[in-house]
Structures are given as C-alpha cells and as structure tokens.
Amino acid sequence: MIYERCVNSGAARLGRLCLTHGMLDTPAFMPVGTYAAVKGVTPDELAALGAPIVLGNTFHLMLRPGAELIARHGGLHGFMGWHGPILTDSGGFQVWSLAANRHLTEDGAMFASPLDGSRRFLSPEGSIDVQRALNSDVVMCFDECTDYPVDKSVAAASMARSMRWAARCRTHHADSANALFGINQGSVFPDLRTESMDALTEIGFDGYAIGGVSVGEPWPEKASAIEAAITRAPVDAPRYLMGVGTPADLVLAVGYGVDMFDCVMPSRNARNGYLFTNAGAVKIKNAAYREDFRPLDAECGCPTCRGYSRAYLHHLFRCGEMLGARLNTLHNLWYYQSVMRRIRNAIAAERYDQFTRQFLAGPEGVGTRAAEFFGVATDCG
C-alpha cells in the first residue's frame, strides 16, 4: 500500500491511496456492503456512481456463506463481482453490538450466532485469517468498542485490551501484501485517545482508524475524541473515521484531517424514504410530493434524477415497490460521492474553510448541531 498526500488546506488533506485492487483519491466515502452487497445496487452501478471502494463485514461473512466458500471464488472481489478495492471490518463492532450474546476474554470473543444460536469464537488471529480468505485490500484489526456512557476505568481497560489485540493482529498479518489498519479506541476521553494512538503508532500500521465514535455520544465529546486521536496520528498514513455519518459530519471531520469514511446512512435512509439533496432533505413519503413533477434534485446527475419525478418516487414508496428503494439508494449514494468530490475540489483549491462555512450555512447543513461544536460559524456574511 502506498499513501501520498497531495495538497493540504488547513488540516484537510487531499491524497491518493494505492491498494492491491486499485487506487482511490481521498477524502473518500465507502458504501457499506455488509453481506457482500450494497443493498439493491449492483457493482457496476456502484462504479458508475463513483464509489472508489466498498466495505464488507468479516463477522457476518464468516457466518454466512463462510470464508472458505468465498476463498474458493478467489476472494470477496470474485464472489461479489466488484473489482475495485474492498475494506473489511474486523468483526470488532459485533463485540459491542452483540454484547448480550457474547463472552469476552483476553483470547477473543465467544458469540452466540444471530443466525442459529451456535457458539462461534473470534480472536484477533481468527479475524485476520478470515480477512485473508476474503482477500481484503484493507484489513482491520480486531478491537473492542465500549458503550456510551462508560466509566473511564472501563474505557481504559477496554482500550488497553484493544491495543494488545492490535499487536497480535500485526504479528499475524505478517508480510501480507494487503494493508492493515489499527483502530484507535478510548471512548470520549481525550487522554485515552492519545494513549491509544501512541500505542498504535509504536506497533506500526499502514493506516489508522478512529473507532467507537458512533455509539450515541453527543457532538462535543465526539469532536474532542476525533481531535485527540488525529493530533497524534502519523501524517504519512491515511486516517479512517469509522461509522460516520451525515454529510455535514463528513465535511467537518475532513477539516480535522480525516481521509476515509463509511456509514450505512445513505442506503438505510434511502430505503426509509429520506433523501439527501443539494436543496436539503426530502422525505419522499410526504403527501406534498404526490403531484410534484420535478426531479428529486435538479442539480444531480444520478439516474434517478435524470429519469424520474418526485411524484413517481412518492408513488413507489407508498406502494412498497422495491424499485423505489433502489432508485432512492442510487440517488443517495450518488449524492454522498458528489459531496466527496466537492470536498476534494475545495481542498485542491485551498479554500476548504470557506467551503465548510458555506456548506453548513446552506440547506445541506440544516439540521446539524455539529457546527457549533467544531467551532465553525454558519454565518457566511
């Protein structure tokens, strides 16, 4: 893996990441394909929308269809028909989300499968083995994510365990040609975040992720955790903020120096009829759109906006037609990629601070409280 920083605009970074299955410009957003598919969208459509990389989930693919079967397809790329880069989560998030059905030890986590209740064990080494079978371009370390709120002593112990697991992942990954990212933890405590990043840097990884900031914490604490981690992250490696977020979240976090993002929001919101546009959010189920013959977003170049009216999308949603979910998803994913293109263009022009203020002051920034906590005024003057 090769990462090259090209331009800085303040702390915002324009870069290029070369992986086994291709190159991507950063900052970049990764659509989430948990089960080797972004719901309702083909790989060719994803490529046409501008997605440079997709995310799959180690834990769920380990359970179904199984890493061995995917390996017989030559890895996840051949299995799902996506030939660009793939990043796989380690399964560590399930250590948190399935807390009621797992037992955690220093060795790893014993889970009750959500499919059939069978007992399954996942360790740092086991997670790396599964991701090796998937042939992920970016392999993530197995880690533990804590609840919010959490006592600092609990967060500290959890973070320390994640750092020990990170060292085991680094050793087991050995000389693989694919990239390995460490995951920064420490909940909302800045000193734990810096301690964690220092530990990861000492171990040495190809990239550095910030985990555990999408579990319900308010923006002031999320912001301080991100800032603390970023200030200690190596400048010559990519930074990945896991599970974040709204378009405004992306714009603001790039201003801290984040390079990569993933989130289910564009696809999940699309299936629920919540659509992002340059003029603000559209809740397509609302009766106001029943006879609205305009495109969803006149400035958008996606297939949905080029071919269909708001009235038609409203009709599809009200009827429960799967085509509606597909068209909505195509639009939201296009929108997210368009935001990333605008972000990259603003950094290249060295006007990122101005872009951020304009974005937050406009209709796309409406509804976010993040601005005040990131110190960004929404009055463009």
Side-chain angles (χ1 to χ4, degrees):
M1 185 199 82
I2 299 174
Y3 173 72
E4 176 186 6
R5 284 187 298 133
C6 301
V7 178
N8 275 53
S9 181
R13 298 145 40 107
L14 187 68
R16 181 161 294 167
L17 184 58
C18 295
L19 299 166
T20 305
H21 286 88
M23 181 274 294
L24 59 141
D25 293 321
T26 60
F29 179 83
M30 298 179 282
V32 176
T34 300
Y35 298 100
V38 177
K39 284 183 170 59
V41 182
T42 69
D44 287 344
E45 288 171 330
L46 280 174
L49 294 172
I53 180 172
V54 298
L55 180 146
N57 184 273
T58 294
F59 177 81
H60 291 294
L61 293 173
M62 175 186 77
L63 295 181
R64 184 174 56 187
E68 190 273 336
L69 186 147
I70 294 174
R72 284 161 50 198
H73 280 79
L76 198 50
H77 301 82
F79 184 61
M80 65 183 288
W82 168 261
H83 303 296
I86 295 174
L87 179 148
T88 45
D89 192 0
S90 66
F93 185 76
Q94 282 68 42
V95 171
W96 173 75
S97 65
L98 299 177
N101 296 298
R102 58 97 169 122
H103 177 64
L104 196 63
T105 69
E106 185 65 24
D107 290 334
M110 181 69 75
F111 294 88
S113 168
L115 299 179
D116 58 12
S118 63
R119 307 300 290 173
R120 303 294 295 268
F121 182 73
L122 191 59
S123 66
E125 293 80 8
S127 175
I128 296 296
D129 286 340
V130 173
Q131 293 180 83
R132 183 178 291 125
L134 301 179
N135 195 24
S136 316
D137 293 78
V138 178
V139 174
M140 300 302 300
C141 283
F142 191 60
D143 67 326
E144 179 188 358
C145 178
T146 55
D147 286 325
Y148 178 86
V150 63
D151 184 81
K152 186 174 183 179
S153 63
V154 174
S158 173
M159 181 275 289
R161 174 183 281 157
S162 288
M163 297 307 97
R164 294 192 294 273
W165 284 359
R168 288 165 57 183
C169 287
R170 173 76 272 179
T171 298
H172 200 68
H173 188 69
D175 58 353
S176 170
N178 293 336
L180 178 66
F181 282 24
I183 303 179
N184 176 270
Q185 289 290 354
S187 187
V188 296
F189 305 102
D191 57 333
L192 296 184
R193 288 287 177 176
T194 57
E195 181 182 342
S196 173
M197 189 60 76
D198 289 346
L200 293 173
T201 302
E202 184 175 353
I203 296 168
F205 291 95
D206 300 302
Y208 297 85
I210 303 170
V213 290
S214 298
V215 295
E217 63 287 307
W219 265 109
E221 294 181 306
K222 187 192 300 281
S224 64
I226 294 170
E227 183 176 30
I230 288 282
T231 55
R232 302 297 274 266
V235 298
D236 57 352
R239 294 94 166 255
Y240 164 30
L241 184 59
M242 305 179 76
V244 176
T246 69
D249 294 341
L250 307 187
V251 170
L252 290 161
V254 165
Y256 270 125
V258 174
D259 305 302
M260 299 170 67
F261 302 89
D262 80 280
C263 190
V264 298
M265 184 171 285
S267 51
R268 178 177 291 170
N269 280 22
R271 296 193 300 275
N272 291 313
Y274 187 103
L275 305 172
F276 298 95
T277 80
N278 292 281
V282 169
K283 298 178 182 178
I284 202 64
K285 68 180 179 181
N286 289 355
Y289 302 113
R290 184 177 182 274
E291 298 182 24
D292 191 336
F293 292 88
R294 296 174 296 168
L296 181 60
D297 186 340
E299 299 179 27
C300 181
C302 81
T304 302
C305 291
R306 292 200 311 266
Y308 306 95
S309 70
R310 296 181 179 194
Y312 183 60
L313 297 175
H314 172 84
H315 162 72
L316 294 176
F317 187 85
R318 285 295 187 178
C319 293
E321 276 287 345
M322 66 175 68
L323 178 59
R326 267 184 42 77
L327 292 176
N328 291 349
T329 301
L330 289 171
H331 168 78
N332 271 2
L333 289 175
W334 177 285
Y335 174 81
Y336 264 63
Q337 295 303 330
S338 75
V339 169
M340 301 314 295
R341 285 191 293 272
R342 289 153 60 193
I343 285 172
R344 292 192 295 269
N345 289 340
I347 298 172
E350 299 185 28
R351 52 177 296 274
Y352 195 72
D353 182 67
Q354 179 184 355
F355 168 79
T356 300
R357 295 176 187 277
Q358 290 176 338
F359 189 95
L360 294 175
E364 295 169 285
V366 171
T368 178
R369 296 185 64 237
E372 62 189 272
F373 301 132
F374 277 79
V376 177
T378 56
D379 180 5
C380 291

